[in-house]
Amino acid sequence: MSSIPHKVRRPGFITVGQFFQENQGPLKLKLIGENAGSLRKIQEPSINRPGLALSGFFDYFAFKRVQVIGNSELAFLEGLDKNARLRRYEALCGWDIPCIVVARGRIVPEDLIQAANKAGISVYQTSMVTMKFINLATMRLDWAFSPSTTAHGSMVDVQGIGVLIAGPSGSGKSESVIGLLQRGASLVADDAVRLRLSEEREVVGSSPDITRSKIEVRGLGILDVARLFGVGSVRLSKRLDLIVHLRVGIELHELERVGAEVRTEDILGLPIPSVDLPVAPGRDISGLIELAALNFKLKAFGYDSAADFNETLLKKMANDQLG
Amino acid sequence: MMLEKEFTITNKNGMHARPAAQFVKHASQFQCEIWMEKDDEQVNGKSIMGLMMLAAARGETVKLTAEGADAEKAMKDLGDLIETGFGDVE
């Protein structure tokens, strides 16, 4: 059985400008001085406190990371005389660092702004406490650097289960999504789903901004789900739990009949459970997808219908043999 | 057979709804798999939603991939379509 082909993107860097654009709100960032280095690259998804570097020790200096200056660095610098301080700033900015962030809303020293801007480095200020900033920025950088892909299929949240409906064009993906929406499911994305590996432990699906809440139904065209079904029918993102493949013209012997085997397929390195549903006239595909999602939920709760049934059968046969 | 080729979008308003629909109409006539790629993002060439999500503007380059028995024919037909500005749609 074919799985979902997907081309994986692994960003090797993001630019400082991108980082600022996407995080200025959550990380409470403000540009101080000139926008001198927005094209510089952040090449590692973590943060460095340049305390040792500011004291003159540059062995093992993690210069590829965002440099955060907190209270202790500022206190140390304040203890130096003006010229020494300036030399430390220039030494720091002599490295190919992406940018400098001063935390706790502390006033950014004028010398630092000048030294940095002169070297083509932007300086930002955040009102967050240093540790909080480091934690959140690390998480957000991790997200920005995580592998992602675009899958051909539609994704819905069915009773809390994130289901990706895959299948060739014309197999009825969008139509079954409409059926599911009418049963109370909500749409994540139609026909093209962004999937991203989150913290190496789950795959999260979302819609590209431009197609969010839109669905294409043959014969009707592009519809807006939030306007037709209410805004509750749209989800911004959802963890991927189950893949349902719609199979056209599939032979009966190719199908799983007992449901005892759990098949998984690789998405961004994680095994995701998947099932095949044959598409044929008269089969209520939406109903079957909902059933697949509910059965998955039951298994997640620890109950496996197929295994339970087989156990009962084995027990009965063992008893019959004895008697 | 698998073919890959790059094309530049030439029509005035880029690949919006109507050009995308044109493309899908053409692409769906072929048996082979068709993919379109822009900036490392690859979508199914038989999906209107996928194509529109790329938001390929005039002057931008897209890469077509066709895989299957009639890939050569598909690549010729779809390439012509892009290069002629999707049949004069604005």
Side-chain angles (χ1 to χ4, degrees):
Chain A
M1 290 283 144
S2 65
S3 58
I4 298 175
H6 58 287
K7 187 174 175 143
V8 181
R9 286 186 300 274
R10 290 171 204 279
F13 68 88
I14 60 169
T15 65
V16 170
Q18 253 174 306
F19 175 70
F20 178 63
Q21 273 298 318
E22 287 160 20
N23 295 291
Q24 53 179 318
L27 292 177
K28 304 193 171 96
L29 286 169
K30 211 164 78 181
L31 177 72
I32 307 288
E34 290 166 37
N35 187 18
S38 63
L39 290 177
R40 277 180 178 252
K41 292 170 182 172
I42 302 173
Q43 298 178 67
E44 276 177 23
S46 44
I47 309 293
N48 185 51
R49 289 189 76 160
L52 282 173
L54 285 167
S55 76
F57 184 76
F58 283 101
D59 293 7
Y60 308 107
F61 176 41
F63 65 94
K64 291 177 180 171
R65 303 176 184 175
V66 172
Q67 306 293 321
V68 178
I69 295 179
N71 264 351
S72 59
E73 286 86 355
L74 286 173
F76 167 75
L77 290 161
E78 275 157 18
L80 302 174
D81 70 60
K82 194 173 166 30
N83 280 333
R85 204 158 47 218
L86 186 61
R87 279 200 303 277
R88 299 291 160 91
Y89 292 148
E90 284 171 348
L92 177 70
C93 297
W95 286 73
D96 194 14
I97 56 175
C99 63
I100 297 169
V101 177
V102 175
R104 281 186 175 265
R106 293 280 303 259
I107 293 168
V108 184
E110 199 55 43
D111 290 351
L112 175 60
I113 303 173
Q114 277 174 14
N117 287 174
K118 209 171 118 193
I121 297 165
S122 297
V123 183
Y124 300 92
Q125 182 198 55
T126 174
S127 54
M128 293 175 86
V129 176
T130 316
M131 266 334 281
K132 287 251 181 333
F133 174 82
I134 290 176
N135 290 343
L136 188 58
T138 308
M139 275 170 59
R140 297 189 69 97
L141 279 169
D142 209 45
W143 180 251
F145 275 80
S146 62
S148 67
T149 187
T150 307
H152 179 222
S154 300
M155 189 166 166
V156 276
D157 173 351
V158 184
Q159 315 241 22
I161 307 297
V163 183
L164 176 66
I165 305 168
S169 303
S171 58
K173 295 187 293 290
S174 301
E175 290 73 7
S176 54
V177 169
I178 293 288
L180 285 163
L181 293 175
Q182 285 164 340
R183 289 163 185 261
S186 43
L187 176 75
V188 180
D190 177 48
D191 224 22
V193 187
R194 281 236 169 90
L195 297 172
R196 195 180 272 271
L197 182 65
S198 173
E199 294 174 14
E200 305 284 326
R201 58 184 176 85
E202 59 184 33
V203 173
V204 176
S206 64
S207 165
D209 291 343
I210 195 141
T211 53
R212 178 165 303 135
S213 172
K214 303 289 189 289
I215 183 164
E216 191 233 339
V217 179
R218 280 185 188 74
L220 297 178
I222 295 160
L223 309 176
D224 191 301
V225 168
R227 282 168 196 259
L228 283 168
F229 294 91
V231 74
S233 300
V234 176
R235 276 200 69 132
L236 295 183
S237 69
K238 177 77 187 98
R239 181 188 64 228
L240 174 62
D241 297 304
L242 178 68
I243 301 169
V244 174
H245 288 278
L246 302 185
R247 302 288 185 200
V248 186
I250 192 175
E251 296 292 330
L252 216 51
H253 68 263
E254 296 176 67
L255 281 172
E256 175 66 34
R257 297 299 291 269
V258 176
E261 269 173 58
V262 179
R263 195 187 61 193
T264 61
E265 58 191 89
D266 182 288
I267 302 284
L268 299 172
L270 287 190
I272 307 289
S274 81
V275 294
D276 284 326
L277 282 181
V279 177
R283 274 171 74 90
D284 172 13
I285 297 300
S286 305
L288 289 171
I289 294 172
E290 191 178 37
L291 201 56
L294 288 175
N295 198 40
F296 171 86
K297 202 169 178 176
L298 207 53
K299 274 188 191 164
F301 283 161
Y303 182 80
D304 187 331
S305 322
D308 185 66
F309 174 77
N310 206 31
E311 222 159 89
T312 314
L313 184 64
L314 285 168
K315 250 187 226 156
K316 179 175 163 32
M317 290 189 296
N319 284 340
D320 286 355
Q321 232 170 16
L322 289 174
Chain B
M1 187 190 339
M2 189 173 110
L3 295 171
E4 275 186 2
K5 208 175 163 193
E6 291 197 338
F7 296 94
T8 306
I9 304 290
T10 54
N11 67 313
K12 188 171 156 224
N13 290 322
M15 209 167 53
H16 63 100
R18 269 191 300 157
Q22 279 283 342
F23 189 93
V24 169
K25 210 179 244 177
H26 278 248
S28 302
Q29 294 166 357
F30 299 100
Q31 291 297 313
C32 61
E33 301 267 355
I34 294 161
W35 303 92
M36 190 185 277
E37 187 178 332
K38 193 195 108 181
D39 301 336
D40 262 358
E41 181 130 64
Q42 193 183 47
V43 300
N44 190 309
K46 296 179 185 178
S47 156
I48 291 198
M49 298 294 275
L51 293 179
M52 288 197 298
M53 157 188 165
L54 288 184
R58 180 183 189 162
E60 286 190 306
T61 303
V62 293
K63 187 164 90 185
L64 281 191
T65 305
E67 189 173 5
D70 53 358
E72 206 166 339
K73 254 175 90 183
M75 190 60 96
K76 169 91 179 63
D77 183 69
L78 296 170
D80 284 351
L81 187 67
I82 299 177
E83 282 175 339
T84 56
F86 302 96
D88 287 335
V89 208
E90 280 240 311

